[in-house]
């Protein structure tokens, strides 16, 4: 029987670490300390070093990291936050949840990341922050965005991009805040939910730490309204086991991507039939490898029949989501994002994928697209 190729093989990743993971679990069990504590503090220091940023504040999820960042910058009712419509829902959802208005700016079709020129057009006196996303693990054009933003704070949604770099430095260290996720499908996946807020600014770091515990400092005295945004000791302990392997896993993802690029180039297909993702920054971490094709839905069905998993990130842009209808967005507003939503297909890129599976994937795609 043909093997089913999945988007991610979590067992292949965790298997070699099993003994260490069990020991970490046992350590937390024995300590009896389940909320925050020394494991969280140690993880924060280690991940700050990895991400090359001064402060790292562990939180309950990537979504909560975005909320903490928005709250830390005082974003609320009457404020506008410019973001991309081609991203996971949480990016714009968190803006709306603090009472602010998400204002969408279209993407650059080559990188799928927000286009700084489109951002510039959307800046008003109400713009309180800009929230770009480093989609699929590649940094957006932070240099251009910083120029456009001027004094307007930048919150980097780096949920898919831990360890990614651009010419300005590591993602999450360039804007005022960086937000990361340890959802299991991210490059550093927890055993449940987890997230992280980063910043180089001491005052913003302190705000995030206080917001994480209901705005209390000292305990039971509240100057601001925060939330329960704490990271579990267990998640931190398990993530500490995985973090030392992350650089190696990222290298393997990059090797897989380079191999795909070469294999797909061999097919010699016209751009409308197949376009492979462009690497514009060296520091890409390939959370996803996303191809574009004008036969997307048929190809997806075919791959499914051939026991090859694939996924559409994202089938509907955020300006067209029912819950954002009140913003007045409509089809045609964001042409590049809308076209991407119709053409993109993410194929397996996980670290342990290996050449043989890639050959099968590429030949299956090639045979179908040449028909
Ligand atoms: C995963 C993700 C989030 C949310 O992270 P969670 O940990 O699932 O809450 C936010 N933004 C982007 C771009 C993501 O990919």
């Amino acid at each position: 029987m043909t093997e089913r190729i999945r988007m991610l093989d979590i067992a292949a990743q965790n298997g070699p670490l099993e003994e260490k993971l069990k020991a970490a679990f046992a350590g937390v069990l024995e300590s009896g300390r389940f909320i925050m504590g020394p494991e969280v503090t140690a993880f924060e220091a280690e991940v700050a070093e990895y991400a090359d940023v001064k402060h790292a504040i562990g939180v309950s999820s990537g979504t909560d990291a975005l909320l903490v960042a928005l709250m830390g910058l005082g974003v609320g009712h009457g404020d506008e936050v410019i973001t991309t419509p081609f991203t996971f829902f949480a990016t714009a959802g968190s803006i709306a949840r603090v009472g602010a208005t998400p204002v969408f700016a279209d993407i650059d079709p080559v990188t799928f990341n927000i286009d700084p020129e489109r951002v510039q057009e959307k800046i008003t006196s109400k713009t309180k922050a800009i929230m770009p996303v480093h989609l699929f693990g590649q940094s957006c054009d932070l240099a251009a965005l910083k120029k456009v933003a001027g004094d307007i704070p930048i919150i980097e949604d780096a949920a898919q991009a831990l360890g990614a770099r651009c010419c300005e430095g590591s993602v999450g260290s360039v804007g005022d805040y960086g937000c990361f996720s340890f959802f299991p499908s991210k490059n550093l996946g927890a055993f449940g939910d987890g997230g992280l807020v980063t910043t180089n600014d001491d005052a913003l770091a302190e705000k995030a730490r206080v917001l994480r515990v209901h705005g209390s400092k000292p305990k039971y005295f509240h100057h601001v309204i925060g939330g329960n945004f704490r990271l579990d000791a267990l998640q931190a302990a398990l993530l500490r086991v995985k973090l030392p392997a992350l650089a190696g896993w990222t290298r393997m993802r990059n090797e897989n991507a380079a191999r795909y690029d070469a294999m797909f180039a061999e097919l010699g297909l016209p751009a409308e039939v197949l376009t492979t993702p462009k690497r514009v920054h060296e520091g890409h971490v390939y959370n996803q490898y996303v191809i574009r094709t004008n036969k997307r839905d048929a190809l997806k069905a075919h791959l499914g029949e051939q026991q090859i998993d694939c996924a559409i990130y994202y089938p509907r842009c955020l300006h067209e989501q029912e819950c954002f209808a009140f913003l007045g967005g409509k089809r045609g507003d964001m042409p590049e994002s809308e076209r991407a939503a119709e053409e993109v297909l993410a194929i397996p890129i996980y670290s342990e994928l290996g050449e043989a599976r890639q050959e099968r994937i590429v030949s299956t795609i090639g045979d179908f697209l040449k028909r």
Side-chain angles (χ1 to χ4, degrees), residues 41-330:
T41 310
F43 174 64
E44 288 173 340
E46 289 159 7
V47 80
E49 193 184 337
Y50 188 87
D52 202 11
V53 64
K54 189 168 178 193
H55 301 280
I57 300 110
V59 294
S60 30
S61 70
T63 304
D64 288 343
L66 295 169
L67 283 176
V68 166
L70 288 159
M71 293 164 87
L73 289 169
V75 177
H77 288 276
D79 297 330
E80 294 176 354
V81 178
I82 301 173
T83 192
T84 164
F86 192 62
T87 174
F88 180 60
F89 177 77
T91 313
S94 61
I95 296 167
R97 278 181 63 195
V98 298
T101 304
V103 173
F104 296 111
D106 207 358
I107 57 167
D108 165 18
V110 173
T111 62
F112 303 109
N113 279 323
I114 200 165
D115 182 340
E117 281 183 41
R118 301 284 89 79
V119 171
Q120 184 145 41
E121 295 163 5
K122 299 287 172 128
I123 293 175
T124 73
S125 57
K126 291 182 182 170
T127 307
K128 192 73 184 267
I130 298 170
M131 190 186 277
V133 178
H134 306 302
L135 203 69
F136 306 142
Q138 176 156 245
S139 174
C140 70
D141 189 349
L142 279 169
L145 263 186
K146 273 179 72 170
K147 260 193 215 131
V148 163
D151 292 338
I152 302 167
I154 294 177
I155 300 172
E156 298 175 57
D157 182 341
Q160 303 181 3
L162 181 58
R165 298 184 64 82
C166 65
C167 43
E168 302 286 291
S170 283
V171 304
S173 75
V174 180
D176 295 75
Y177 278 120
C179 301
F180 295 88
S181 165
F182 306 117
F183 185 80
S185 68
K186 306 297 157 95
N187 287 17
L188 182 66
F191 298 75
D193 282 305
L196 189 87
V197 177
T198 55
T199 182
N200 279 318
D201 182 302
D202 296 346
L204 290 180
E206 175 63 12
K207 278 186 184 158
R209 286 198 185 94
V210 171
L211 284 163
R212 169 171 68 172
V213 288
H214 287 295
S216 86
K217 193 185 181 180
K219 210 170 184 185
Y220 306 122
F221 292 85
H222 304 261
H223 304 281
V224 292
I225 302 169
N228 172 2
F229 300 129
R230 296 176 301 240
L231 179 64
D232 292 342
L234 186 60
Q235 295 303 340
L238 296 168
L239 285 166
R240 288 186 69 202
V241 173
K242 293 183 76 174
L243 183 61
L246 181 58
W249 291 332
T250 301
R251 208 174 312 119
M252 290 159 83
R253 283 176 180 267
N254 270 276
E255 286 162 13
N256 292 342
R259 204 149 45 214
Y260 268 145
D261 290 347
M263 288 174 172
F264 281 124
E266 292 261 307
L267 298 175
L269 289 162
E272 65 276 16
V273 179
L274 180 70
T275 299
T276 51
K278 294 286 169 299
R279 180 208 303 259
V280 301
H281 295 294
E282 275 307 307
H284 199 327
V285 297
Y286 286 100
N287 179 241
Q288 301 294 344
Y289 187 92
V290 176
I291 59 171
R292 297 182 80 128
T293 169
N294 59 2
K295 299 179 182 172
R296 197 266 312 272
D297 292 336
L299 175 62
K300 181 171 190 289
H302 180 70
L303 289 174
E305 285 162 16
Q306 300 299 315
Q307 305 291 309
I308 296 169
D309 288 1
C310 55
I312 300 172
Y313 306 118
Y314 295 90
R316 178 168 291 172
C317 298
L318 298 187
H319 68 287
E320 296 184 274
Q321 296 288 345
E322 194 180 337
C323 68
F324 287 140
F326 72 97
L327 296 172
K330 56 181 188 316

Side-chain angles (χ1 to χ4, degrees), residues 9-30 39 43 188-192 233-245 249:
D9 187 346
I10 290 186
Q13 185 177 73
N14 291 333
L17 297 173
E18 192 174 330
E19 288 312 313
K20 284 183 181 167
L21 290 167
K22 283 180 175 164
F25 178 85
V28 173
L29 182 65
E30 277 160 31
E39 289 290 352
F43 174 64
L188 182 66
F191 298 75
L234 186 60
Q235 295 303 340
L238 296 168
L239 285 166
R240 288 186 69 202
V241 173
K242 293 183 76 174
L243 183 61
W249 291 332

